Amino acid sequence: AQSVTQLGSHVSVSEGALVLLRCNYSSSVPPYLFWYVQYPNQGLQLLLKYTSAATLVKGINGFEAEFKKSETSFHLTKPSAHMSDAAEYFCAVSTYTGGFKTIFGAGTRLFVKA
Amino acid sequence: SQTIHQWPATLVQPVGSPLSLECTVEGTSNPNLYWYRQAAGRGLQLLFYSVGIGQISSEVPQNLSASRPQDRQFILSSKKLLLSDSGFYLCAWSGRDRYNEQFFGPGTRLTVL
């Protein structure tokens, strides 16, 4: 069975600073990994996904993530935070053998200070 | 392109009243469909998923039920709401490829008083 752990339920950065949101996964078979963003009272929107092609994945709004098999990690980064990045971020994993379920992490709320 | 609709957007219901939330998907056929709940300050809890008409899998025992009367329609119901049913309900769909990338609706905010 697969699982996802997001380190830090809350992360606070200053505007213009590096954003780093951590995600570690557990899977006995090759995983597919996703980052979603959720703004208040809205649904989740896909930021980026890893589907076994390039290990460095670029997404929308300047975000990117790197799949590191040796570390079982898929951390989300953005070089310079913007106020509009304040939201909740979810890491998720699915596998070809996992049926039709995707496992979501508990989420990390990102605060951006002016 | 595909779109997913949920209604109502917000709902305030008394304890013990019934519930019906509807989700419809456009622009795709034979999707997998999902109902999730987010309690305040918490992550996503998968409630139900469906791989076809009339096929419902329940993840968490509770007083909610789900139905899929048509290929692209997914309904979440309750006969008698509890205070603990309050939360943000999200419907999602995924295609039949191996990645299971999920696409979410705008959500329904349910408050049970």
Side-chain angles (χ1 to χ4, degrees):
Chain A
Q2 58 266 37
S3 65
V4 176
T5 301
Q6 290 185 240
L7 299 176
S9 59
H10 297 84
V11 170
S12 182
V13 300
S14 298
E15 192 174 20
L18 171 72
V19 176
L20 171 61
L21 304 182
R22 300 178 186 273
C23 172
N24 287 90
Y25 70 92
S26 173
S27 177
S28 58
V29 298
Y32 307 120
L33 296 159
F34 309 87
W35 275 101
Y36 289 85
V37 61
Q38 184 182 31
Y39 299 100
N41 293 311
Q42 295 185 25
L44 277 68
Q45 177 186 3
L46 183 71
L47 273 178
L48 49 79
K49 61 185 177 185
Y50 166 75
T51 56
S52 74
T55 57
L56 182 61
V57 181
K58 294 186 183 299
I60 62 172
N61 301 338
F63 284 94
E64 63 181 38
E66 186 171 8
F67 172 68
K68 292 187 176 180
K69 184 179 179 180
S70 60
E71 299 177 9
T72 62
S73 68
F74 190 57
H75 301 332
L76 182 70
T77 61
K78 181 174 180 178
S80 177
H82 191 272
M83 297 297 288
S84 61
D85 294 326
E88 183 127 29
Y89 293 80
F90 292 92
C91 182
V93 62
S94 70
T95 64
Y96 185 55
T97 58
F100 298 105
K101 290 190 286 184
T102 295
I103 306 301
F104 287 83
T108 297
R109 184 164 295 279
L110 176 66
F111 297 92
V112 182
K113 299 174 291 185
Chain B
S1 63
Q2 302 89 1
T3 55
I4 178 169
H5 304 278
Q6 283 186 248
W7 63 90
T10 60
L11 191 60
V12 180
Q13 292 285 93
V15 169
S17 63
L19 172 73
S20 181
L21 303 181
E22 189 164 344
C23 170
T24 59
V25 181
E26 296 177 356
T28 188
S29 59
N30 199 25
N32 300 315
L33 295 172
Y34 308 83
W35 277 112
Y36 292 89
R37 177 171 60 199
Q38 276 184 300
R42 304 184 67 176
L44 291 166
Q45 179 186 34
L46 178 62
L47 301 175
F48 302 94
Y49 69 95
S50 171
V51 300
I53 296 174
Q55 300 179 63
I56 308 296
S57 296
S58 174
E59 289 293 297
V60 182
Q62 58 211 317
N63 72 321
L64 299 172
S65 62
S67 62
R68 184 171 177 173
Q70 301 180 43
D71 181 47
R72 291 169 289 173
Q73 184 185 29
F74 205 24
I75 297 172
L76 183 69
S77 304
S78 174
K79 292 181 179 178
K80 289 185 178 182
L81 283 169
L82 306 173
L83 287 174
S84 58
D85 291 324
S86 293
F88 193 53
Y89 289 81
L90 290 161
C91 181
W93 72 273
S94 69
R96 296 290 173 166
D97 60 30
R98 63 177 62 195
Y99 308 120
N100 205 41
E101 175 183 348
Q102 296 192 10
F103 303 89
F104 286 81
T108 295
R109 173 73 60 191
L110 171 65
T111 302
V112 182
L113 301 175

